[in-house]
Amino acid sequence: MPSSAHLQDAPPLLSRTLTQDEEQTSLRQSSSCGLSAASASESLSGSTKSRIPHSKMLQGNLPRIISPESPAKLPCCYGVIMVLSVAVVALSVALSVKKTPQILTVKTYAACPRNWIGVGNKCYYFNETPSNWTFSQTLCKAQEAELARFDTEEELNFLKRHKGSSGYWIGLHRESSSQPWKWTDNTAYNNLVPIGGDEKHGFLSDNGFSSGRGYIVRKSICSKPNSYTSQCQ
Amino acid sequence: MDTSRVYGNVKTFRSPGHKQASFPSLSTDACRCPHWHHLALKLGCATLILLLLTLIGLSVFVRFLVQKPLIEKCSMAAQENGTEPTGRSAILECPRHWQPHRNKCLIISQISRPWAEGLVACSMKEATLLIIENEEELKFVQNILKGRQQLFFIGLNYVQTEMTWKWINGSVLKPNILRITGSEVENSCALISHTEVFSDSCSSDNHWICQKTLKHV
């Protein structure tokens, strides 16, 4: 009886041992590379199933092929962007350089009204519409100014330089050709420069200063004290 | 029976694992790189377009600034050159810079001086101050002066002793040719503008107009 019992125990042990071996084999296969897995699946499934994995592999390769080309194009785009950026910066610098002189010009005349030119302690305005001497004075007064006056060499030289080729009425007048010249406020002229002609109303010509009859129509120059200087005083 | 059961479990475990592993990995690889690249390309293109537009705008602006000096230079108008023949058998032409009109050549002075100096300047060019012979010529001359804000001496002055205006060739001014605005006193000379004829002092500084008569064989 005991011998028979021993014989009966032997089969269960053998069967258990085989089971463990099989489990270990399956684990090893799963941990190894995919090829073995594929082969395993092939063995399990038929020919139809085996084709699907191959098609999937091909699909996987396509993105990789496309990706190498994209990086090649990007550098070109970056290069063009760099060139354009440099061009924009250069143009901006050029513009800023050109604008600088204008700013200086504006500052030079900051104390005079717009379109008036500051010289010394005065502001001058060139009226390009011809009219007679009396009406020219009226136009100047309408802008809180008088027909142009000059008291220094600086102011005189400025007027001479800017006269152009036409005559301009200025603020000098006299009662007759034998009387002394006066400004519009009736103060005496300091004879800084001689006034040509034999008439009663002074004007600036391209030959210096001359005189004519008041009813002649000419352009005119107005002047007024520089507002900045006035405020300081 | 236990053995057969164990085999069945193995089959069930393997097949779903394979399927799940393969699909997500492939789809993920396919979507990621192309998507990122597309975004990069779009941003690059947008930047390029913006830069191009900015470049164009700045270029236009720079050209606009550069053209200003050119415009100023152009404003100094070139002198007119008249070279029309008179049309007669012996065709004569006006000298350079002179304006032809019928049998005369006219020129405008570039400087201002008293009337007497203008007269001398004209004679040095073998010419005389302008003598207007009829209304048609007056209109022609004033048409030439359009756009000029200047005044010009002509060959007409007031003779006090005779109380009349006379041309420098001695002929008396006819009232129907032109009217003079201003005083009729001694030392008066005629000034012409594009609209009127004035009487001013002969000693005043003004431009003048010379005339040269073409001689025919």
Side-chain angles (χ1 to χ4, degrees), chain A residues 22 29 37 56 70 80 91 95 98 130 165 197-199 203 205-207 210-211 213 215-216 218-219, chain B residues 7 18 23 37 48 58 61 66 112-113 149-151 182-183 188 199-201 203-207:
Chain A
E22 288 179 355
Q29 288 179 353
K56 289 180 181 178
S70 299
V80 176
L91 283 171
L95 284 177
K98 290 189 176 180
S165 66
D198 302 327
E199 281 300 330
F203 67 91
S205 79
D206 60 31
N207 186 33
S210 181
S211 58
R213 294 174 186 170
Y215 57 74
I216 304 290
R218 297 184 196 281
K219 300 178 184 179
Chain B
Y7 280 112
H18 283 291
F23 283 108
H37 286 163
L48 281 174
L58 284 171
F61 198 34
V66 171
S112 299
R113 291 290 187 278
Q149 306 283 15
Q150 294 160 344
L151 300 159
S183 314
S188 295
S199 161
D200 196 6
S201 167
S203 61
S204 182
D205 283 351
N206 285 296
H207 295 269

mmCIF file of all heavy atoms in Angstrom, chain A residues 22 29 37 56 70 80 91 95 98 130 165 197-199 203 205-207 210-211 213 215-216 218-219, chain B residues 7 18 23 37 48 58 61 66 112-113 149-151 182-183 188 199-201 203-207:
data_model
loop_
_atom_site.group_PDB
_atom_site.id
_atom_site.type_symbol
_atom_site.label_atom_id
_atom_site.label_comp_id
_atom_site.label_asym_id
_atom_site.label_seq_id
_atom_site.Cartn_x
_atom_site.Cartn_y
_atom_site.Cartn_z
ATOM 1 N N GLU A 22 6.586 26.242 -18.758
ATOM 2 C CA GLU A 22 5.850 26.950 -19.821
ATOM 3 C C GLU A 22 5.664 28.432 -19.478
ATOM 4 O O GLU A 22 5.822 29.313 -20.311
ATOM 5 C CB GLU A 22 4.494 26.273 -20.028
ATOM 6 C CG GLU A 22 4.603 24.918 -20.722
ATOM 7 C CD GLU A 22 3.254 24.252 -20.885
ATOM 8 O OE1 GLU A 22 2.262 24.811 -20.372
ATOM 9 O OE2 GLU A 22 3.194 23.202 -21.544
ATOM 10 N N GLN A 29 9.639 35.432 -23.785
ATOM 11 C CA GLN A 29 9.269 35.845 -25.140
ATOM 12 C C GLN A 29 8.717 37.268 -25.152
ATOM 13 O O GLN A 29 9.051 38.081 -25.999
ATOM 14 C CB GLN A 29 8.252 34.865 -25.717
ATOM 15 C CG GLN A 29 8.856 33.515 -26.074
ATOM 16 C CD GLN A 29 7.820 32.554 -26.631
ATOM 17 O OE1 GLN A 29 6.623 32.852 -26.624
ATOM 18 N NE2 GLN A 29 8.275 31.390 -27.086
ATOM 19 N N ALA A 37 7.802 38.392 -30.895
ATOM 20 C CA ALA A 37 6.363 38.536 -30.634
ATOM 21 C C ALA A 37 5.588 38.365 -31.922
ATOM 22 O O ALA A 37 4.552 37.720 -31.965
ATOM 23 C CB ALA A 37 6.082 39.898 -30.020
ATOM 24 N N LYS A 56 1.293 48.184 -41.121
ATOM 25 C CA LYS A 56 1.483 49.158 -40.041
ATOM 26 C C LYS A 56 2.920 49.632 -39.989
ATOM 27 O O LYS A 56 3.218 50.807 -39.792
ATOM 28 C CB LYS A 56 1.084 48.525 -38.709
ATOM 29 C CG LYS A 56 -0.424 48.310 -38.579
ATOM 30 C CD LYS A 56 -0.783 47.673 -37.248
ATOM 31 C CE LYS A 56 -2.286 47.445 -37.155
ATOM 32 N NZ LYS A 56 -2.649 46.781 -35.871
ATOM 33 N N SER A 70 11.565 68.651 -43.761
ATOM 34 C CA SER A 70 11.084 69.871 -43.094
ATOM 35 C C SER A 70 12.224 70.684 -42.502
ATOM 36 O O SER A 70 12.302 71.886 -42.729
ATOM 37 C CB SER A 70 10.063 69.494 -42.027
ATOM 38 O OG SER A 70 8.965 68.856 -42.624
ATOM 39 N N VAL A 80 15.949 84.042 -44.763
ATOM 40 C CA VAL A 80 15.211 85.151 -45.379
ATOM 41 C C VAL A 80 14.722 86.115 -44.312
ATOM 42 O O VAL A 80 14.803 87.341 -44.468
ATOM 43 C CB VAL A 80 14.025 84.611 -46.206
ATOM 44 C CG1 VAL A 80 13.198 85.748 -46.752
ATOM 45 C CG2 VAL A 80 14.540 83.730 -47.330
ATOM 46 N N LEU A 91 16.810 100.551 -42.660
ATOM 47 C CA LEU A 91 15.919 101.626 -43.106
ATOM 48 C C LEU A 91 15.488 102.494 -41.937
ATOM 49 O O LEU A 91 15.423 103.721 -42.037
ATOM 50 C CB LEU A 91 14.694 101.035 -43.801
ATOM 51 C CG LEU A 91 14.924 100.540 -45.226
ATOM 52 C CD1 LEU A 91 13.710 99.784 -45.722
ATOM 53 C CD2 LEU A 91 15.231 101.708 -46.144
ATOM 54 N N LEU A 95 16.048 106.497 -41.579
ATOM 55 C CA LEU A 95 14.972 107.459 -41.336
ATOM 56 C C LEU A 95 15.270 108.305 -40.110
ATOM 57 O O LEU A 95 15.065 109.513 -40.104
ATOM 58 C CB LEU A 95 13.646 106.723 -41.154
ATOM 59 C CG LEU A 95 13.007 106.186 -42.428
ATOM 60 C CD1 LEU A 95 11.756 105.414 -42.097
ATOM 61 C CD2 LEU A 95 12.679 107.327 -43.368
ATOM 62 N N LYS A 98 17.758 110.972 -40.899
ATOM 63 C CA LYS A 98 17.226 112.078 -41.693
ATOM 64 C C LYS A 98 16.296 112.955 -40.879
ATOM 65 O O LYS A 98 16.185 114.143 -41.112
ATOM 66 C CB LYS A 98 16.487 111.532 -42.913
ATOM 67 C CG LYS A 98 17.426 110.920 -43.923
ATOM 68 C CD LYS A 98 16.711 110.575 -45.204
ATOM 69 C CE LYS A 98 17.694 110.045 -46.234
ATOM 70 N NZ LYS A 98 17.029 109.704 -47.507
ATOM 71 N N PRO A 130 0.848 139.853 -52.845
ATOM 72 C CA PRO A 130 1.163 141.271 -53.058
ATOM 73 C C PRO A 130 0.018 142.183 -52.630
ATOM 74 O O PRO A 130 -1.155 141.856 -52.816
ATOM 75 C CB PRO A 130 1.381 141.350 -54.576
ATOM 76 C CG PRO A 130 1.634 139.946 -55.021
ATOM 77 C CD PRO A 130 0.831 139.091 -54.105
ATOM 78 N N SER A 165 13.796 137.000 -55.458
ATOM 79 C CA SER A 165 13.959 137.905 -56.597
ATOM 80 C C SER A 165 12.866 138.963 -56.651
ATOM 81 O O SER A 165 12.885 139.829 -57.516
ATOM 82 C CB SER A 165 13.961 137.104 -57.899
ATOM 83 O OG SER A 165 12.698 136.514 -58.095
ATOM 84 N N GLY A 197 16.425 155.230 -54.030
ATOM 85 C CA GLY A 197 15.199 155.791 -54.574
ATOM 86 C C GLY A 197 14.827 157.102 -53.915
ATOM 87 O O GLY A 197 15.413 157.501 -52.910
ATOM 88 N N ASP A 198 13.789 157.763 -54.486
ATOM 89 C CA ASP A 198 13.401 159.081 -53.992
ATOM 90 C C ASP A 198 12.005 159.081 -53.385
ATOM 91 O O ASP A 198 11.423 160.138 -53.188
ATOM 92 C CB ASP A 198 13.414 160.086 -55.154
ATOM 93 C CG ASP A 198 14.781 160.157 -55.807
ATOM 94 O OD1 ASP A 198 15.782 159.996 -55.075
ATOM 95 O OD2 ASP A 198 14.848 160.347 -57.033
ATOM 96 N N GLU A 199 11.447 157.886 -53.112
ATOM 97 C CA GLU A 199 10.052 157.841 -52.688
ATOM 98 C C GLU A 199 9.920 157.734 -51.179
ATOM 99 O O GLU A 199 10.900 157.845 -50.443
ATOM 100 C CB GLU A 199 9.331 156.693 -53.398
ATOM 101 C CG GLU A 199 8.942 157.038 -54.822
ATOM 102 C CD GLU A 199 8.004 158.239 -54.872
ATOM 103 O OE1 GLU A 199 7.244 158.444 -53.914
ATOM 104 O OE2 GLU A 199 8.051 158.981 -55.883
ATOM 105 N N PHE A 203 11.310 149.382 -49.411
ATOM 106 C CA PHE A 203 11.133 147.952 -49.672
ATOM 107 C C PHE A 203 12.489 147.305 -49.923
ATOM 108 O O PHE A 203 13.472 147.967 -50.244
ATOM 109 C CB PHE A 203 10.172 147.696 -50.840
ATOM 110 C CG PHE A 203 10.672 148.140 -52.190
ATOM 111 C CD1 PHE A 203 11.384 147.272 -53.008
ATOM 112 C CD2 PHE A 203 10.410 149.418 -52.663
ATOM 113 C CE1 PHE A 203 11.839 147.665 -54.267
ATOM 114 C CE2 PHE A 203 10.856 149.822 -53.917
ATOM 115 C CZ PHE A 203 11.571 148.949 -54.715
ATOM 116 N N SER A 205 14.767 145.015 -52.122
ATOM 117 C CA SER A 205 14.880 144.493 -53.486
ATOM 118 C C SER A 205 16.109 143.600 -53.557
ATOM 119 O O SER A 205 16.852 143.479 -52.584
ATOM 120 C CB SER A 205 15.012 145.637 -54.486
ATOM 121 O OG SER A 205 16.342 146.137 -54.483
ATOM 122 N N ASP A 206 16.351 142.983 -54.721
ATOM 123 C CA ASP A 206 17.530 142.135 -54.827
ATOM 124 C C ASP A 206 18.793 142.973 -54.963
ATOM 125 O O ASP A 206 19.892 142.443 -55.102
ATOM 126 C CB ASP A 206 17.387 141.160 -55.997
ATOM 127 C CG ASP A 206 17.221 141.868 -57.325
ATOM 128 O OD1 ASP A 206 17.757 142.976 -57.486
ATOM 129 O OD2 ASP A 206 16.556 141.308 -58.207
ATOM 130 N N ASN A 207 18.634 144.303 -54.938
ATOM 131 C CA ASN A 207 19.768 145.214 -55.018
ATOM 132 C C ASN A 207 19.981 145.933 -53.689
ATOM 133 O O ASN A 207 20.663 146.941 -53.622
ATOM 134 C CB ASN A 207 19.509 146.237 -56.132
ATOM 135 C CG ASN A 207 20.707 147.134 -56.392
ATOM 136 O OD1 ASN A 207 21.848 146.700 -56.255
ATOM 137 N ND2 ASN A 207 20.449 148.389 -56.742
ATOM 138 N N SER A 210 15.350 149.845 -51.327
ATOM 139 C CA SER A 210 14.946 150.897 -52.244
ATOM 140 C C SER A 210 13.640 151.493 -51.738
ATOM 141 O O SER A 210 13.129 151.087 -50.691
ATOM 142 C CB SER A 210 14.774 150.312 -53.647
ATOM 143 O OG SER A 210 14.397 151.317 -54.561
ATOM 144 N N SER A 211 13.107 152.465 -52.477
ATOM 145 C CA SER A 211 11.842 153.056 -52.054
ATOM 146 C C SER A 211 10.936 153.208 -53.260
ATOM 147 O O SER A 211 11.404 153.386 -54.386
ATOM 148 C CB SER A 211 12.086 154.419 -51.401
ATOM 149 O OG SER A 211 12.754 155.281 -52.304
ATOM 150 N N ARG A 213 6.447 154.076 -54.509
ATOM 151 C CA ARG A 213 5.191 154.714 -54.117
ATOM 152 C C ARG A 213 4.318 153.702 -53.413
ATOM 153 O O ARG A 213 4.256 152.537 -53.809
ATOM 154 C CB ARG A 213 4.506 155.285 -55.363
ATOM 155 C CG ARG A 213 5.343 156.432 -55.937
ATOM 156 C CD ARG A 213 4.829 156.977 -57.250
ATOM 157 N NE ARG A 213 5.773 157.976 -57.774
ATOM 158 C CZ ARG A 213 5.708 158.507 -58.992
ATOM 159 N NH1 ARG A 213 4.739 158.138 -59.817
ATOM 160 N NH2 ARG A 213 6.593 159.392 -59.389
ATOM 161 N N TYR A 215 1.221 152.977 -53.271
ATOM 162 C CA TYR A 215 0.094 152.279 -53.890
ATOM 163 C C TYR A 215 0.536 151.105 -54.762
ATOM 164 O O TYR A 215 -0.297 150.342 -55.241
ATOM 165 C CB TYR A 215 -0.763 153.237 -54.721
ATOM 166 C CG TYR A 215 -0.018 153.977 -55.798
ATOM 167 C CD1 TYR A 215 0.386 153.350 -56.974
ATOM 168 C CD2 TYR A 215 0.290 155.334 -55.648
ATOM 169 C CE1 TYR A 215 1.069 154.028 -57.954
ATOM 170 C CE2 TYR A 215 0.972 156.029 -56.635
ATOM 171 C CZ TYR A 215 1.361 155.377 -57.779
ATOM 172 O OH TYR A 215 2.038 156.054 -58.758
ATOM 173 N N ILE A 216 1.855 150.971 -54.988
ATOM 174 C CA ILE A 216 2.349 149.828 -55.763
ATOM 175 C C ILE A 216 2.107 148.552 -54.950
ATOM 176 O O ILE A 216 2.272 148.556 -53.729
ATOM 177 C CB ILE A 216 3.860 149.984 -56.054
ATOM 178 C CG1 ILE A 216 4.134 151.310 -56.765
ATOM 179 C CG2 ILE A 216 4.386 148.802 -56.864
ATOM 180 C CD1 ILE A 216 3.615 151.351 -58.183
ATOM 181 N N ARG A 218 3.186 144.961 -53.697
ATOM 182 C CA ARG A 218 4.364 144.107 -53.548
ATOM 183 C C ARG A 218 4.095 143.083 -52.452
ATOM 184 O O ARG A 218 3.162 143.230 -51.666
ATOM 185 C CB ARG A 218 5.588 144.927 -53.128
ATOM 186 C CG ARG A 218 6.041 145.966 -54.113
ATOM 187 C CD ARG A 218 7.328 146.632 -53.626
ATOM 188 N NE ARG A 218 7.605 147.870 -54.333
ATOM 189 C CZ ARG A 218 8.130 147.942 -55.548
ATOM 190 N NH1 ARG A 218 8.441 146.832 -56.183
ATOM 191 N NH2 ARG A 218 8.336 149.104 -56.124
ATOM 192 N N LYS A 219 4.958 142.073 -52.390
ATOM 193 C CA LYS A 219 4.947 141.178 -51.234
ATOM 194 C C LYS A 219 5.434 141.977 -50.031
ATOM 195 O O LYS A 219 5.868 143.127 -50.187
ATOM 196 C CB LYS A 219 5.861 139.986 -51.478
ATOM 197 C CG LYS A 219 5.473 139.158 -52.686
ATOM 198 C CD LYS A 219 6.458 138.023 -52.891
ATOM 199 C CE LYS A 219 6.133 137.245 -54.150
ATOM 200 N NZ LYS A 219 7.099 136.149 -54.378
ATOM 201 N N TYR B 7 -3.265 27.021 -20.816
ATOM 202 C CA TYR B 7 -3.020 27.419 -22.201
ATOM 203 C C TYR B 7 -4.015 28.491 -22.636
ATOM 204 O O TYR B 7 -3.682 29.463 -23.295
ATOM 205 C CB TYR B 7 -3.113 26.199 -23.130
ATOM 206 C CG TYR B 7 -1.866 25.373 -23.123
ATOM 207 C CD1 TYR B 7 -1.845 24.089 -22.573
ATOM 208 C CD2 TYR B 7 -0.677 25.886 -23.667
ATOM 209 C CE1 TYR B 7 -0.685 23.336 -22.564
ATOM 210 C CE2 TYR B 7 0.481 25.114 -23.653
ATOM 211 C CZ TYR B 7 0.481 23.857 -23.100
ATOM 212 O OH TYR B 7 1.603 23.110 -23.094
ATOM 213 N N HIS B 18 -0.765 42.968 -27.633
ATOM 214 C CA HIS B 18 -0.142 43.341 -28.900
ATOM 215 C C HIS B 18 -0.925 44.461 -29.594
ATOM 216 O O HIS B 18 -0.371 45.445 -30.056
ATOM 217 C CB HIS B 18 -0.055 42.110 -29.806
ATOM 218 C CG HIS B 18 1.053 41.175 -29.414
ATOM 219 N ND1 HIS B 18 2.368 41.513 -29.570
ATOM 220 C CD2 HIS B 18 1.039 39.932 -28.852
ATOM 221 C CE1 HIS B 18 3.143 40.510 -29.129
ATOM 222 N NE2 HIS B 18 2.335 39.541 -28.695
ATOM 223 N N PHE B 23 -1.140 50.141 -32.009
ATOM 224 C CA PHE B 23 -1.926 51.266 -32.531
ATOM 225 C C PHE B 23 -1.497 52.622 -31.954
ATOM 226 O O PHE B 23 -1.205 53.538 -32.698
ATOM 227 C CB PHE B 23 -3.421 51.029 -32.298
ATOM 228 C CG PHE B 23 -4.009 50.053 -33.277
ATOM 229 C CD1 PHE B 23 -4.382 48.776 -32.887
ATOM 230 C CD2 PHE B 23 -4.181 50.420 -34.600
ATOM 231 C CE1 PHE B 23 -4.914 47.889 -33.793
ATOM 232 C CE2 PHE B 23 -4.721 49.532 -35.511
ATOM 233 C CZ PHE B 23 -5.092 48.259 -35.108
ATOM 234 N N HIS B 37 5.977 70.815 -37.167
ATOM 235 C CA HIS B 37 6.596 71.440 -38.340
ATOM 236 C C HIS B 37 5.625 72.386 -39.037
ATOM 237 O O HIS B 37 6.005 73.462 -39.483
ATOM 238 C CB HIS B 37 7.067 70.373 -39.314
ATOM 239 C CG HIS B 37 8.304 69.670 -38.851
ATOM 240 N ND1 HIS B 37 8.727 68.474 -39.376
ATOM 241 C CD2 HIS B 37 9.202 70.000 -37.883
ATOM 242 C CE1 HIS B 37 9.841 68.103 -38.772
ATOM 243 N NE2 HIS B 37 10.152 69.003 -37.859
ATOM 244 N N LEU B 48 7.564 86.385 -42.356
ATOM 245 C CA LEU B 48 8.082 86.847 -43.652
ATOM 246 C C LEU B 48 7.175 87.910 -44.253
ATOM 247 O O LEU B 48 7.628 88.947 -44.739
ATOM 248 C CB LEU B 48 8.200 85.668 -44.621
ATOM 249 C CG LEU B 48 9.410 84.757 -44.447
ATOM 250 C CD1 LEU B 48 9.305 83.561 -45.376
ATOM 251 C CD2 LEU B 48 10.687 85.525 -44.731
ATOM 252 N N LEU B 58 8.753 101.177 -45.456
ATOM 253 C CA LEU B 58 9.932 101.995 -45.168
ATOM 254 C C LEU B 58 10.591 102.480 -46.455
ATOM 255 O O LEU B 58 11.044 103.622 -46.546
ATOM 256 C CB LEU B 58 10.932 101.191 -44.341
ATOM 257 C CG LEU B 58 10.579 101.026 -42.860
ATOM 258 C CD1 LEU B 58 11.517 100.044 -42.193
ATOM 259 C CD2 LEU B 58 10.636 102.367 -42.154
ATOM 260 N N PHE B 61 8.699 105.353 -47.803
ATOM 261 C CA PHE B 61 8.924 106.522 -46.959
ATOM 262 C C PHE B 61 10.276 107.163 -47.272
ATOM 263 O O PHE B 61 10.393 108.380 -47.412
ATOM 264 C CB PHE B 61 8.851 106.093 -45.493
ATOM 265 C CG PHE B 61 8.642 107.230 -44.544
ATOM 266 C CD1 PHE B 61 7.873 108.320 -44.895
ATOM 267 C CD2 PHE B 61 9.223 107.208 -43.292
ATOM 268 C CE1 PHE B 61 7.680 109.369 -44.020
ATOM 269 C CE2 PHE B 61 9.029 108.252 -42.408
ATOM 270 C CZ PHE B 61 8.257 109.334 -42.770
ATOM 271 N N VAL B 66 13.688 111.356 -49.947
ATOM 272 C CA VAL B 66 14.761 111.652 -50.891
ATOM 273 C C VAL B 66 14.259 112.533 -52.014
ATOM 274 O O VAL B 66 14.952 113.414 -52.498
ATOM 275 C CB VAL B 66 15.351 110.350 -51.463
ATOM 276 C CG1 VAL B 66 16.301 110.649 -52.610
ATOM 277 C CG2 VAL B 66 16.065 109.594 -50.368
ATOM 278 N N SER B 112 17.162 143.769 -60.318
ATOM 279 C CA SER B 112 16.388 145.005 -60.141
ATOM 280 C C SER B 112 17.329 146.205 -60.093
ATOM 281 O O SER B 112 18.364 146.145 -59.439
ATOM 282 C CB SER B 112 15.604 144.945 -58.819
ATOM 283 O OG SER B 112 14.706 143.875 -58.822
ATOM 284 N N ARG B 113 16.954 147.273 -60.775
ATOM 285 C CA ARG B 113 17.734 148.507 -60.777
ATOM 286 C C ARG B 113 16.788 149.652 -61.126
ATOM 287 O O ARG B 113 15.665 149.420 -61.574
ATOM 288 C CB ARG B 113 18.851 148.435 -61.827
ATOM 289 C CG ARG B 113 19.967 147.451 -61.526
ATOM 290 C CD ARG B 113 20.818 147.904 -60.360
ATOM 291 N NE ARG B 113 21.977 147.043 -60.167
ATOM 292 C CZ ARG B 113 21.968 145.887 -59.527
ATOM 293 N NH1 ARG B 113 20.833 145.457 -59.004
ATOM 294 N NH2 ARG B 113 23.057 145.168 -59.406
ATOM 295 N N GLN B 149 5.376 137.317 -59.414
ATOM 296 C CA GLN B 149 4.907 138.334 -58.479
ATOM 297 C C GLN B 149 5.840 139.533 -58.506
ATOM 298 O O GLN B 149 6.175 140.091 -57.469
ATOM 299 C CB GLN B 149 4.845 137.752 -57.061
ATOM 300 C CG GLN B 149 4.026 136.482 -56.947
ATOM 301 C CD GLN B 149 2.545 136.734 -56.966
ATOM 302 O OE1 GLN B 149 2.090 137.818 -57.336
ATOM 303 N NE2 GLN B 149 1.773 135.737 -56.584
ATOM 304 N N GLN B 150 6.272 139.930 -59.705
ATOM 305 C CA GLN B 150 7.250 140.996 -59.824
ATOM 306 C C GLN B 150 6.681 142.129 -60.662
ATOM 307 O O GLN B 150 5.625 141.996 -61.284
ATOM 308 C CB GLN B 150 8.535 140.473 -60.479
ATOM 309 C CG GLN B 150 9.271 139.447 -59.637
ATOM 310 C CD GLN B 150 10.225 138.621 -60.464
ATOM 311 O OE1 GLN B 150 10.132 138.594 -61.689
ATOM 312 N NE2 GLN B 150 11.137 137.937 -59.801
ATOM 313 N N LEU B 151 7.421 143.237 -60.682
ATOM 314 C CA LEU B 151 7.040 144.400 -61.480
ATOM 315 C C LEU B 151 8.182 144.734 -62.428
ATOM 316 O O LEU B 151 9.348 144.565 -62.071
ATOM 317 C CB LEU B 151 6.757 145.594 -60.559
ATOM 318 C CG LEU B 151 5.615 145.352 -59.559
ATOM 319 C CD1 LEU B 151 5.722 146.296 -58.380
ATOM 320 C CD2 LEU B 151 4.278 145.503 -60.248
ATOM 321 N N GLY B 182 -1.933 155.384 -60.954
ATOM 322 C CA GLY B 182 -1.003 156.084 -60.092
ATOM 323 C C GLY B 182 -0.794 157.529 -60.495
ATOM 324 O O GLY B 182 -1.500 158.068 -61.348
ATOM 325 N N SER B 183 0.222 158.135 -59.849
ATOM 326 C CA SER B 183 0.451 159.572 -59.993
ATOM 327 C C SER B 183 1.064 159.924 -61.338
ATOM 328 O O SER B 183 1.871 159.187 -61.887
ATOM 329 C CB SER B 183 1.392 160.046 -58.880
ATOM 330 O OG SER B 183 1.004 159.522 -57.641
ATOM 331 N N SER B 188 8.307 160.071 -63.219
ATOM 332 C CA SER B 188 7.461 158.874 -63.181
ATOM 333 C C SER B 188 7.776 157.975 -64.367
ATOM 334 O O SER B 188 7.907 158.454 -65.490
ATOM 335 C CB SER B 188 5.981 159.264 -63.217
ATOM 336 O OG SER B 188 5.617 159.973 -62.064
ATOM 337 N N SER B 199 2.319 153.643 -62.280
ATOM 338 C CA SER B 199 3.293 154.725 -62.346
ATOM 339 C C SER B 199 4.101 154.697 -61.056
ATOM 340 O O SER B 199 3.533 154.766 -59.973
ATOM 341 C CB SER B 199 2.573 156.071 -62.476
ATOM 342 O OG SER B 199 3.433 157.130 -62.101
ATOM 343 N N ASP B 200 5.414 154.563 -61.173
ATOM 344 C CA ASP B 200 6.258 154.548 -59.982
ATOM 345 C C ASP B 200 7.414 155.514 -60.203
ATOM 346 O O ASP B 200 7.604 156.038 -61.301
ATOM 347 C CB ASP B 200 6.786 153.127 -59.720
ATOM 348 C CG ASP B 200 7.339 152.970 -58.300
ATOM 349 O OD1 ASP B 200 7.206 153.918 -57.487
ATOM 350 O OD2 ASP B 200 7.904 151.900 -58.009
ATOM 351 N N SER B 201 8.200 155.698 -59.155
ATOM 352 C CA SER B 201 9.367 156.555 -59.288
ATOM 353 C C SER B 201 10.400 155.885 -60.186
ATOM 354 O O SER B 201 10.637 154.685 -60.080
ATOM 355 C CB SER B 201 9.968 156.812 -57.914
ATOM 356 O OG SER B 201 11.257 157.378 -58.040
ATOM 357 N N SER B 203 13.415 156.171 -59.922
ATOM 358 C CA SER B 203 14.589 155.856 -59.113
ATOM 359 C C SER B 203 14.400 154.584 -58.299
ATOM 360 O O SER B 203 15.311 154.151 -57.601
ATOM 361 C CB SER B 203 14.874 157.016 -58.156
ATOM 362 O OG SER B 203 13.763 157.197 -57.288
ATOM 363 N N SER B 204 13.222 153.992 -58.389
ATOM 364 C CA SER B 204 12.934 152.778 -57.630
ATOM 365 C C SER B 204 13.622 151.573 -58.281
ATOM 366 O O SER B 204 13.823 151.551 -59.493
ATOM 367 C CB SER B 204 11.418 152.578 -57.600
ATOM 368 O OG SER B 204 11.076 151.452 -56.856
ATOM 369 N N ASP B 205 13.962 150.573 -57.472
ATOM 370 C CA ASP B 205 14.560 149.351 -58.015
ATOM 371 C C ASP B 205 13.470 148.418 -58.539
ATOM 372 O O ASP B 205 12.570 148.041 -57.796
ATOM 373 C CB ASP B 205 15.334 148.593 -56.923
ATOM 374 C CG ASP B 205 16.678 149.219 -56.627
ATOM 375 O OD1 ASP B 205 17.087 150.122 -57.379
ATOM 376 O OD2 ASP B 205 17.314 148.803 -55.643
ATOM 377 N N ASN B 206 13.564 148.062 -59.805
ATOM 378 C CA ASN B 206 12.617 147.093 -60.373
ATOM 379 C C ASN B 206 13.283 146.323 -61.505
ATOM 380 O O ASN B 206 14.302 146.756 -62.039
ATOM 381 C CB ASN B 206 11.369 147.814 -60.915
ATOM 382 C CG ASN B 206 10.449 148.289 -59.803
ATOM 383 O OD1 ASN B 206 9.901 147.477 -59.062
ATOM 384 N ND2 ASN B 206 10.296 149.597 -59.679
ATOM 385 N N HIS B 207 12.693 145.203 -61.851
ATOM 386 C CA HIS B 207 13.132 144.476 -63.040
ATOM 387 C C HIS B 207 12.659 145.248 -64.270
ATOM 388 O O HIS B 207 11.930 146.232 -64.141
ATOM 389 C CB HIS B 207 12.531 143.070 -63.050
ATOM 390 C CG HIS B 207 12.999 142.203 -61.924
ATOM 391 N ND1 HIS B 207 14.091 141.390 -62.016
ATOM 392 C CD2 HIS B 207 12.520 142.036 -60.670
ATOM 393 C CE1 HIS B 207 14.267 140.752 -60.877
ATOM 394 N NE2 HIS B 207 13.332 141.121 -60.031
#
